[in-house]
Amino acid sequence: MDFITKLVWGQYTPESIKAFENAGLAENIWIMERKPVKKNPLKYFFSYKLWHILFERRLKLVKGSIPNHTTWNLRKQFDGFLRQQQYDYIIISYAYWADLIRDNPNIGKAVTIIDTHDLLASQHQNDKGFDKGQALGDELRRLALFDQVWAISTEETYFFGQFLREKVRHIPMMMDAPPVVQTEGDKEFDLVYVATDNPHNLISAAWFFKEVYPLLSTELKICVIGPITKHVPEGLKNVTCISFVDDLNEYYLKSKISLCPMLTGTGVKVKVVEAMSHGLPVVCTERGLDGLPDKANNGCLATNDPREFAGHIHHLLNNKPLFAQMSAQSLASFHRHFSREEGYKKLDSAMGIDK
């Protein structure tokens, strides 16, 4: 298996590339550059810019659509890799790069797969000049270039399947079950909230701390983990902020309930699945249920109402039978849908591998 990526997409350094190689996750790791270094303006124009303009004209980019990150230089490098090695499968993550395979004779007999991760038209709907009709049409056009379309959530599987039919496969996220899950007894934290500081999480955290937090008992101990800690209001004595941890498992084990106050976004909320793998009940908004095959009896209590959100937290902490029931449902839902074993079954089916 070979791994190909763009240099700035993962902020790769010589050290991180070497660590990737030593991990044995791929036989070859190739890092592409979006465009060549601009040392000589004249040479840059004739060796890259002119060809890129012609390439974009051939692609007929759709105005108002989602971004297209495929440049002439990336396509040239990608084609070079394909000429060196013939593959059985080519998997591309995100439709931003779909035109790498468009009308590409170097693909040979490889099965082409797009791993969608999200409905990108929804992700970009607040972009300047965005046109939802153009964006949805162009996204579906890009996905249709592939032999298979992998969708991480049940909602996106349904949506894409209405237009692309048998090409669409539901391939959920998967992870190993932790060696230790939810146990009874005293915990260091009542609530744990894990989040990055992307735009969706910024909106969600602001809502939680403005609308829900004032309704919670000041006796509750809350742990917030990740880059979102930079945006937690100062002076909250019962809130512990940790910007980075080596092992999240440790903090899930120290906590009773996981929070997911997401108000926007698509796909599956990773923090919800992580909590489920530990048997933690989850208090979330309706967006927190996105992508879950089980919409009920899944260990989640969902509401967009701040008072109900706070009420769910207090109810879980004060009602041991309810807490035990939700904890059991959470763990069972994880093993039903998101364990590595269940994920591999779906991957084997999609790739035609008989066990």
Side-chain angles (χ1 to χ4, degrees):
M1 183 182 75
D2 295 340
F3 179 76
I4 303 172
T5 187
K6 192 180 81 166
L7 180 61
V8 299
W9 185 254
Q11 297 180 337
Y12 290 94
T13 64
E15 293 76 19
S16 65
I17 293 171
K18 189 65 177 177
F20 199 136
E21 292 173 341
N22 293 337
L25 297 173
E27 294 178 25
N28 298 295
I29 301 169
W30 291 318
I31 313 296
M32 300 190 296
E33 294 186 350
R34 181 178 179 273
K35 57 184 180 179
V37 178
K38 188 178 181 181
K39 293 182 178 179
N40 183 312
L42 191 63
K43 182 179 179 181
Y44 177 84
F45 177 80
F46 283 105
S47 66
Y48 168 70
K49 191 65 177 180
L50 181 61
W51 289 103
H52 179 66
I53 292 171
L54 295 173
F55 178 69
E56 285 194 328
R57 287 184 179 178
R58 190 163 75 247
L59 291 181
K60 297 180 181 178
L61 301 181
V62 178
K63 185 177 181 181
S65 183
I66 58 178
N68 190 324
H69 294 332
T70 307
T71 65
W72 176 78
N73 197 53
L74 287 174
R75 175 64 181 260
K76 180 182 176 183
Q77 294 169 84
F78 185 73
D79 289 354
F81 298 141
L82 295 185
R83 283 192 289 268
Q84 292 180 45
Q85 174 72 48
Q86 287 296 303
Y87 297 98
D88 297 312
Y89 299 92
I90 296 174
I91 303 174
I92 292 180
S93 290
Y94 293 104
Y96 299 128
W97 321 102
D99 284 323
L100 287 172
I101 70 156
R102 182 179 179 183
D103 300 326
N104 194 330
N106 299 296
I107 289 171
K109 297 181 180 180
V111 176
T112 56
I113 300 169
I114 180 71
D115 192 4
T116 60
H117 297 286
D118 290 292
L119 176 62
L120 294 183
S122 178
Q123 291 286 328
H124 289 277
Q125 60 184 293
N126 295 319
D127 290 1
K128 185 177 180 180
F130 176 84
D131 184 302
K132 59 185 176 183
Q134 296 280 34
L136 286 169
D138 187 38
E139 184 167 1
L140 291 170
R141 189 275 305 169
R142 297 188 203 183
L143 300 186
L145 297 172
F146 293 82
D147 298 315
Q148 289 187 25
V149 177
W150 290 358
I152 196 171
S153 79
T154 51
E155 290 86 353
E156 285 152 26
T157 301
Y158 173 80
F159 176 76
F160 293 142
Q162 295 301 301
F163 302 95
L164 302 172
R165 307 297 179 184
E166 69 280 353
K167 287 189 174 190
V168 181
R169 304 294 185 96
H170 178 217
I171 308 293
M173 66 168 291
M174 66 189 82
M175 61 179 64
D176 289 324
V180 181
V181 297
Q182 176 72 267
T183 56
E184 295 184 3
D186 292 336
K187 298 294 181 73
E188 185 174 342
F189 301 107
D190 296 296
L191 311 175
V192 61
Y193 175 29
V194 180
T196 63
D197 57 354
N198 67 40
H200 298 297
N201 284 321
L202 292 178
I203 294 170
S204 304
W207 175 81
F208 174 78
F209 283 104
K210 180 181 179 181
E211 303 292 341
V212 179
Y213 177 82
L215 304 175
L216 296 175
S217 167
T218 56
E219 299 298 315
L220 297 186
K221 297 177 182 178
I222 305 172
C223 182
V224 182
I225 301 174
I228 197 65
T229 54
K230 293 180 291 187
H231 306 276
V232 173
E234 296 181 358
L236 305 181
K237 295 182 179 180
N238 63 332
V239 177
T240 299
C241 290
I242 307 173
S243 61
F244 175 80
V245 297
D246 288 319
D247 186 6
L248 274 174
N249 291 331
E250 176 185 350
Y251 287 87
Y252 282 119
L253 288 173
K254 291 179 178 180
S255 307
K256 298 177 182 178
I257 297 170
S258 180
L259 302 179
C260 180
M262 299 294 290
L263 298 174
T264 59
T266 59
V268 177
K269 308 305 179 283
V270 176
K271 60 176 70 67
V272 172
V273 179
E274 287 176 341
M276 286 179 165
S277 74
H278 289 81
L280 265 67
V282 178
V283 178
C284 62
T285 52
E286 293 174 4
R287 290 277 71 80
L289 300 177
D290 285 351
L292 301 183
D294 297 331
K295 298 303 182 187
N297 302 319
N298 56 14
C300 300
L301 293 175
T303 180
N304 286 0
D305 181 83
R307 290 193 174 279
E308 289 183 358
F309 198 102
H312 286 328
I313 292 171
H314 289 141
H315 198 193
L316 276 170
L317 292 174
N318 295 315
N319 187 324
K320 288 187 176 181
L322 174 64
F323 185 94
Q325 177 188 5
M326 299 300 291
S327 177
Q329 289 179 359
S330 181
L331 189 60
S333 188
F334 168 79
H335 283 292
R336 239 186 339 263
H337 304 293
F338 301 109
S339 67
R340 184 183 291 268
E341 292 76 16
E342 289 303 312
Y344 278 4
K345 288 178 185 178
K346 289 183 170 61
L347 283 174
D348 287 345
S349 175
M351 302 180 83
I353 299 174
D354 295 324
K355 284 291 188 179

